[in-house]
Amino acid sequence: DVQLQASGGGTVQAGGSMRLSCAASGFTLGDPAIGWYRQAPGKDQEPVSCIGDDGTSTYYSTSVKGRFTISRDSAQKTVYLEMNALKPEDTAVYYCVADTAVKTPNRNGCPRVLDAWGQGTLVTVSS
């Protein structure tokens, strides 16, 4: 079975750093493109950052560009999201997401279909 296991959330003060991890397993086509999406209370879900199946393409939303870095360790089948200079507006539940049928990313470097979701990990940034 396809599984995405997200971890690393918690509470941090504004300006601090945090690293999220997403361990992927069960993808029969190999390592898929992975995206991190987040949903803040009362707001729509939004893409944060994505990385292609081979790690060469990345995407960052305007709000996190320059502060967040996405990477992947293919040997560990894990994608990381390093978050620096965190702001209170980064507070949200973060989900890692993948496409179970197509491993290559769309033109933006993100999964084409968001049909596999991790359980979500809460990131709280206090001011």
PDB file of all heavy atoms in Angstrom, residues 30-57:
ATOM      1  N   GLY A  30       8.300   3.732  -8.522  1.00  0.00           N
ATOM      2  CA  GLY A  30       9.533   4.353  -8.056  1.00  0.00           C
ATOM      3  C   GLY A  30       9.237   5.639  -7.316  1.00  0.00           C
ATOM      4  O   GLY A  30       8.087   5.991  -7.053  1.00  0.00           O
ATOM      5  N   ASP A  31      10.283   6.378  -6.989  1.00  0.00           N
ATOM      6  CA  ASP A  31      10.127   7.604  -6.211  1.00  0.00           C
ATOM      7  C   ASP A  31       9.271   8.604  -6.974  1.00  0.00           C
ATOM      8  O   ASP A  31       9.613   8.989  -8.095  1.00  0.00           O
ATOM      9  CB  ASP A  31      11.497   8.219  -5.920  1.00  0.00           C
ATOM     10  CG  ASP A  31      12.359   7.318  -5.057  1.00  0.00           C
ATOM     11  OD1 ASP A  31      11.791   6.442  -4.375  1.00  0.00           O
ATOM     12  OD2 ASP A  31      13.588   7.479  -5.084  1.00  0.00           O
ATOM     13  N   PRO A  32       8.184   9.081  -6.375  1.00  0.00           N
ATOM     14  CA  PRO A  32       7.323  10.034  -7.061  1.00  0.00           C
ATOM     15  C   PRO A  32       7.695  11.476  -6.777  1.00  0.00           C
ATOM     16  O   PRO A  32       8.431  11.753  -5.820  1.00  0.00           O
ATOM     17  CB  PRO A  32       5.957   9.725  -6.459  1.00  0.00           C
ATOM     18  CG  PRO A  32       6.288   9.371  -5.039  1.00  0.00           C
ATOM     19  CD  PRO A  32       7.615   8.660  -5.079  1.00  0.00           C
ATOM     20  N   ALA A  33       7.181  12.388  -7.582  1.00  0.00           N
ATOM     21  CA  ALA A  33       7.240  13.799  -7.206  1.00  0.00           C
ATOM     22  C   ALA A  33       6.456  13.967  -5.913  1.00  0.00           C
ATOM     23  O   ALA A  33       5.408  13.346  -5.727  1.00  0.00           O
ATOM     24  CB  ALA A  33       6.645  14.666  -8.310  1.00  0.00           C
ATOM     25  N   ILE A  34       6.953  14.787  -5.035  1.00  0.00           N
ATOM     26  CA  ILE A  34       6.308  15.004  -3.726  1.00  0.00           C
ATOM     27  C   ILE A  34       6.051  16.490  -3.549  1.00  0.00           C
ATOM     28  O   ILE A  34       6.913  17.327  -3.872  1.00  0.00           O
ATOM     29  CB  ILE A  34       7.199  14.515  -2.578  1.00  0.00           C
ATOM     30  CG1 ILE A  34       7.414  12.995  -2.646  1.00  0.00           C
ATOM     31  CG2 ILE A  34       6.599  14.916  -1.218  1.00  0.00           C
ATOM     32  CD1 ILE A  34       6.296  12.161  -2.109  1.00  0.00           C
ATOM     33  N   GLY A  35       4.913  16.810  -3.028  1.00  0.00           N
ATOM     34  CA  GLY A  35       4.601  18.196  -2.716  1.00  0.00           C
ATOM     35  C   GLY A  35       4.267  18.361  -1.254  1.00  0.00           C
ATOM     36  O   GLY A  35       3.725  17.451  -0.627  1.00  0.00           O
ATOM     37  N   TRP A  36       4.599  19.511  -0.726  1.00  0.00           N
ATOM     38  CA  TRP A  36       4.145  19.903   0.605  1.00  0.00           C
ATOM     39  C   TRP A  36       3.044  20.942   0.422  1.00  0.00           C
ATOM     40  O   TRP A  36       3.236  21.941  -0.277  1.00  0.00           O
ATOM     41  CB  TRP A  36       5.283  20.503   1.430  1.00  0.00           C
ATOM     42  CG  TRP A  36       6.249  19.496   1.963  1.00  0.00           C
ATOM     43  CD1 TRP A  36       7.458  19.154   1.433  1.00  0.00           C
ATOM     44  CD2 TRP A  36       6.085  18.686   3.137  1.00  0.00           C
ATOM     45  NE1 TRP A  36       8.057  18.185   2.203  1.00  0.00           N
ATOM     46  CE2 TRP A  36       7.243  17.887   3.258  1.00  0.00           C
ATOM     47  CE3 TRP A  36       5.083  18.558   4.108  1.00  0.00           C
ATOM     48  CZ2 TRP A  36       7.422  16.969   4.299  1.00  0.00           C
ATOM     49  CZ3 TRP A  36       5.270  17.662   5.140  1.00  0.00           C
ATOM     50  CH2 TRP A  36       6.418  16.874   5.232  1.00  0.00           C
ATOM     51  N   TYR A  37       1.903  20.678   1.017  1.00  0.00           N
ATOM     52  CA  TYR A  37       0.774  21.586   0.993  1.00  0.00           C
ATOM     53  C   TYR A  37       0.430  21.923   2.439  1.00  0.00           C
ATOM     54  O   TYR A  37       0.713  21.144   3.350  1.00  0.00           O
ATOM     55  CB  TYR A  37      -0.423  20.934   0.290  1.00  0.00           C
ATOM     56  CG  TYR A  37      -0.214  20.769  -1.199  1.00  0.00           C
ATOM     57  CD1 TYR A  37       0.703  19.839  -1.688  1.00  0.00           C
ATOM     58  CD2 TYR A  37      -0.908  21.546  -2.118  1.00  0.00           C
ATOM     59  CE1 TYR A  37       0.927  19.700  -3.052  1.00  0.00           C
ATOM     60  CE2 TYR A  37      -0.701  21.408  -3.477  1.00  0.00           C
ATOM     61  CZ  TYR A  37       0.216  20.486  -3.935  1.00  0.00           C
ATOM     62  OH  TYR A  37       0.434  20.355  -5.282  1.00  0.00           O
ATOM     63  N   ARG A  38      -0.183  23.066   2.632  1.00  0.00           N
ATOM     64  CA  ARG A  38      -0.552  23.421   3.988  1.00  0.00           C
ATOM     65  C   ARG A  38      -1.949  24.041   4.027  1.00  0.00           C
ATOM     66  O   ARG A  38      -2.427  24.568   3.029  1.00  0.00           O
ATOM     67  CB  ARG A  38       0.461  24.396   4.592  1.00  0.00           C
ATOM     68  CG  ARG A  38       0.470  25.801   3.994  1.00  0.00           C
ATOM     69  CD  ARG A  38       1.602  26.631   4.587  1.00  0.00           C
ATOM     70  NE  ARG A  38       1.632  27.988   4.032  1.00  0.00           N
ATOM     71  CZ  ARG A  38       2.593  28.870   4.270  1.00  0.00           C
ATOM     72  NH1 ARG A  38       3.629  28.535   5.056  1.00  0.00           N
ATOM     73  NH2 ARG A  38       2.538  30.085   3.740  1.00  0.00           N
ATOM     74  N   GLN A  39      -2.547  23.925   5.190  1.00  0.00           N
ATOM     75  CA  GLN A  39      -3.852  24.539   5.395  1.00  0.00           C
ATOM     76  C   GLN A  39      -3.874  25.193   6.761  1.00  0.00           C
ATOM     77  O   GLN A  39      -3.714  24.508   7.788  1.00  0.00           O
ATOM     78  CB  GLN A  39      -4.988  23.522   5.283  1.00  0.00           C
ATOM     79  CG  GLN A  39      -6.361  24.164   5.364  1.00  0.00           C
ATOM     80  CD  GLN A  39      -7.451  23.285   4.798  1.00  0.00           C
ATOM     81  OE1 GLN A  39      -7.325  22.062   4.747  1.00  0.00           O
ATOM     82  NE2 GLN A  39      -8.535  23.898   4.366  1.00  0.00           N
ATOM     83  N   ALA A  40      -4.052  26.495   6.745  1.00  0.00           N
ATOM     84  CA  ALA A  40      -4.153  27.257   7.981  1.00  0.00           C
ATOM     85  C   ALA A  40      -5.614  27.351   8.392  1.00  0.00           C
ATOM     86  O   ALA A  40      -6.508  27.231   7.550  1.00  0.00           O
ATOM     87  CB  ALA A  40      -3.559  28.644   7.777  1.00  0.00           C
ATOM     88  N   PRO A  41      -5.887  27.580   9.660  1.00  0.00           N
ATOM     89  CA  PRO A  41      -7.270  27.689  10.123  1.00  0.00           C
ATOM     90  C   PRO A  41      -8.031  28.751   9.347  1.00  0.00           C
ATOM     91  O   PRO A  41      -7.574  29.890   9.205  1.00  0.00           O
ATOM     92  CB  PRO A  41      -7.110  28.075  11.596  1.00  0.00           C
ATOM     93  CG  PRO A  41      -5.772  27.561  11.983  1.00  0.00           C
ATOM     94  CD  PRO A  41      -4.918  27.700  10.764  1.00  0.00           C
ATOM     95  N   GLY A  42      -9.170  28.364   8.803  1.00  0.00           N
ATOM     96  CA  GLY A  42     -10.011  29.305   8.100  1.00  0.00           C
ATOM     97  C   GLY A  42      -9.541  29.686   6.716  1.00  0.00           C
ATOM     98  O   GLY A  42     -10.113  30.573   6.082  1.00  0.00           O
ATOM     99  N   LYS A  43      -8.500  29.011   6.232  1.00  0.00           N
ATOM    100  CA  LYS A  43      -7.971  29.347   4.910  1.00  0.00           C
ATOM    101  C   LYS A  43      -7.991  28.131   3.997  1.00  0.00           C
ATOM    102  O   LYS A  43      -8.101  26.993   4.454  1.00  0.00           O
ATOM    103  CB  LYS A  43      -6.546  29.876   5.038  1.00  0.00           C
ATOM    104  CG  LYS A  43      -6.433  31.205   5.771  1.00  0.00           C
ATOM    105  CD  LYS A  43      -5.037  31.771   5.651  1.00  0.00           C
ATOM    106  CE  LYS A  43      -4.949  33.147   6.298  1.00  0.00           C
ATOM    107  NZ  LYS A  43      -3.598  33.728   6.173  1.00  0.00           N
ATOM    108  N   ASP A  44      -7.877  28.403   2.716  1.00  0.00           N
ATOM    109  CA  ASP A  44      -7.826  27.320   1.747  1.00  0.00           C
ATOM    110  C   ASP A  44      -6.463  26.630   1.797  1.00  0.00           C
ATOM    111  O   ASP A  44      -5.459  27.229   2.189  1.00  0.00           O
ATOM    112  CB  ASP A  44      -8.067  27.857   0.332  1.00  0.00           C
ATOM    113  CG  ASP A  44      -9.484  28.357   0.143  1.00  0.00           C
ATOM    114  OD1 ASP A  44     -10.387  27.874   0.871  1.00  0.00           O
ATOM    115  OD2 ASP A  44      -9.688  29.201  -0.743  1.00  0.00           O
ATOM    116  N   GLN A  45      -6.481  25.418   1.350  1.00  0.00           N
ATOM    117  CA  GLN A  45      -5.225  24.675   1.220  1.00  0.00           C
ATOM    118  C   GLN A  45      -4.375  25.306   0.127  1.00  0.00           C
ATOM    119  O   GLN A  45      -4.903  25.764  -0.894  1.00  0.00           O
ATOM    120  CB  GLN A  45      -5.577  23.251   0.815  1.00  0.00           C
ATOM    121  CG  GLN A  45      -4.535  22.222   1.024  1.00  0.00           C
ATOM    122  CD  GLN A  45      -5.168  20.884   0.724  1.00  0.00           C
ATOM    123  OE1 GLN A  45      -5.403  20.544  -0.440  1.00  0.00           O
ATOM    124  NE2 GLN A  45      -5.480  20.149   1.772  1.00  0.00           N
ATOM    125  N   GLU A  46      -3.051  25.330   0.334  1.00  0.00           N
ATOM    126  CA  GLU A  46      -2.191  25.942  -0.671  1.00  0.00           C
ATOM    127  C   GLU A  46      -0.913  25.115  -0.826  1.00  0.00           C
ATOM    128  O   GLU A  46      -0.422  24.527   0.144  1.00  0.00           O
ATOM    129  CB  GLU A  46      -1.827  27.370  -0.261  1.00  0.00           C
ATOM    130  CG  GLU A  46      -1.048  27.478   1.028  1.00  0.00           C
ATOM    131  CD  GLU A  46      -0.541  28.887   1.296  1.00  0.00           C
ATOM    132  OE1 GLU A  46      -0.521  29.719   0.372  1.00  0.00           O
ATOM    133  OE2 GLU A  46      -0.143  29.139   2.441  1.00  0.00           O
ATOM    134  N   PRO A  47      -0.362  25.090  -2.029  1.00  0.00           N
ATOM    135  CA  PRO A  47       0.921  24.428  -2.226  1.00  0.00           C
ATOM    136  C   PRO A  47       2.030  25.272  -1.628  1.00  0.00           C
ATOM    137  O   PRO A  47       2.007  26.497  -1.724  1.00  0.00           O
ATOM    138  CB  PRO A  47       1.046  24.324  -3.745  1.00  0.00           C
ATOM    139  CG  PRO A  47       0.214  25.449  -4.251  1.00  0.00           C
ATOM    140  CD  PRO A  47      -0.895  25.644  -3.274  1.00  0.00           C
ATOM    141  N   VAL A  48       2.979  24.619  -1.009  1.00  0.00           N
ATOM    142  CA  VAL A  48       4.105  25.302  -0.392  1.00  0.00           C
ATOM    143  C   VAL A  48       5.380  25.069  -1.189  1.00  0.00           C
ATOM    144  O   VAL A  48       6.072  26.005  -1.576  1.00  0.00           O
ATOM    145  CB  VAL A  48       4.310  24.808   1.058  1.00  0.00           C
ATOM    146  CG1 VAL A  48       5.554  25.438   1.674  1.00  0.00           C
ATOM    147  CG2 VAL A  48       3.073  25.107   1.897  1.00  0.00           C
ATOM    148  N   SER A  49       5.663  23.807  -1.445  1.00  0.00           N
ATOM    149  CA  SER A  49       6.895  23.461  -2.148  1.00  0.00           C
ATOM    150  C   SER A  49       6.764  22.053  -2.711  1.00  0.00           C
ATOM    151  O   SER A  49       6.062  21.215  -2.143  1.00  0.00           O
ATOM    152  CB  SER A  49       8.088  23.531  -1.188  1.00  0.00           C
ATOM    153  OG  SER A  49       9.297  23.244  -1.861  1.00  0.00           O
ATOM    154  N   CYS A  50       7.417  21.816  -3.849  1.00  0.00           N
ATOM    155  CA  CYS A  50       7.384  20.499  -4.474  1.00  0.00           C
ATOM    156  C   CYS A  50       8.770  20.142  -4.984  1.00  0.00           C
ATOM    157  O   CYS A  50       9.595  21.033  -5.257  1.00  0.00           O
ATOM    158  CB  CYS A  50       6.408  20.463  -5.653  1.00  0.00           C
ATOM    159  SG  CYS A  50       4.725  20.945  -5.272  1.00  0.00           S
ATOM    160  N   ILE A  51       8.982  18.856  -5.146  1.00  0.00           N
ATOM    161  CA  ILE A  51      10.244  18.390  -5.731  1.00  0.00           C
ATOM    162  C   ILE A  51       9.943  17.247  -6.688  1.00  0.00           C
ATOM    163  O   ILE A  51       9.098  16.383  -6.400  1.00  0.00           O
ATOM    164  CB  ILE A  51      11.242  17.960  -4.639  1.00  0.00           C
ATOM    165  CG1 ILE A  51      12.618  17.664  -5.234  1.00  0.00           C
ATOM    166  CG2 ILE A  51      10.726  16.782  -3.826  1.00  0.00           C
ATOM    167  CD1 ILE A  51      13.725  17.593  -4.197  1.00  0.00           C
ATOM    168  N   GLY A  52      10.596  17.267  -7.833  1.00  0.00           N
ATOM    169  CA  GLY A  52      10.350  16.256  -8.841  1.00  0.00           C
ATOM    170  C   GLY A  52      10.870  14.885  -8.446  1.00  0.00           C
ATOM    171  O   GLY A  52      11.595  14.734  -7.463  1.00  0.00           O
ATOM    172  N   ASP A  53      10.521  13.889  -9.238  1.00  0.00           N
ATOM    173  CA  ASP A  53      10.881  12.519  -8.915  1.00  0.00           C
ATOM    174  C   ASP A  53      12.390  12.301  -8.877  1.00  0.00           C
ATOM    175  O   ASP A  53      12.877  11.487  -8.084  1.00  0.00           O
ATOM    176  CB  ASP A  53      10.232  11.545  -9.899  1.00  0.00           C
ATOM    177  CG  ASP A  53      10.581  11.856 -11.341  1.00  0.00           C
ATOM    178  OD1 ASP A  53      10.470  13.028 -11.732  1.00  0.00           O
ATOM    179  OD2 ASP A  53      10.948  10.921 -12.081  1.00  0.00           O
ATOM    180  N   ASP A  54      13.126  13.033  -9.695  1.00  0.00           N
ATOM    181  CA  ASP A  54      14.583  12.860  -9.696  1.00  0.00           C
ATOM    182  C   ASP A  54      15.292  13.951  -8.907  1.00  0.00           C
ATOM    183  O   ASP A  54      16.532  14.002  -8.884  1.00  0.00           O
ATOM    184  CB  ASP A  54      15.123  12.815 -11.126  1.00  0.00           C
ATOM    185  CG  ASP A  54      14.825  14.085 -11.899  1.00  0.00           C
ATOM    186  OD1 ASP A  54      14.230  15.020 -11.336  1.00  0.00           O
ATOM    187  OD2 ASP A  54      15.186  14.143 -13.089  1.00  0.00           O
ATOM    188  N   GLY A  55      14.533  14.817  -8.284  1.00  0.00           N
ATOM    189  CA  GLY A  55      15.112  15.846  -7.431  1.00  0.00           C
ATOM    190  C   GLY A  55      15.652  17.057  -8.154  1.00  0.00           C
ATOM    191  O   GLY A  55      16.165  17.978  -7.515  1.00  0.00           O
ATOM    192  N   THR A  56      15.518  17.093  -9.483  1.00  0.00           N
ATOM    193  CA  THR A  56      16.122  18.205 -10.220  1.00  0.00           C
ATOM    194  C   THR A  56      15.181  19.401 -10.369  1.00  0.00           C
ATOM    195  O   THR A  56      15.635  20.511 -10.639  1.00  0.00           O
ATOM    196  CB  THR A  56      16.563  17.758 -11.623  1.00  0.00           C
ATOM    197  OG1 THR A  56      15.425  17.271 -12.341  1.00  0.00           O
ATOM    198  CG2 THR A  56      17.601  16.654 -11.523  1.00  0.00           C
ATOM    199  N   SER A  57      13.895  19.193 -10.230  1.00  0.00           N
ATOM    200  CA  SER A  57      12.957  20.308 -10.349  1.00  0.00           C
ATOM    201  C   SER A  57      12.334  20.590  -8.993  1.00  0.00           C
ATOM    202  O   SER A  57      11.989  19.660  -8.254  1.00  0.00           O
ATOM    203  CB  SER A  57      11.865  19.994 -11.366  1.00  0.00           C
ATOM    204  OG  SER A  57      11.120  18.865 -10.973  1.00  0.00           O
TER     205      SER A  57
END
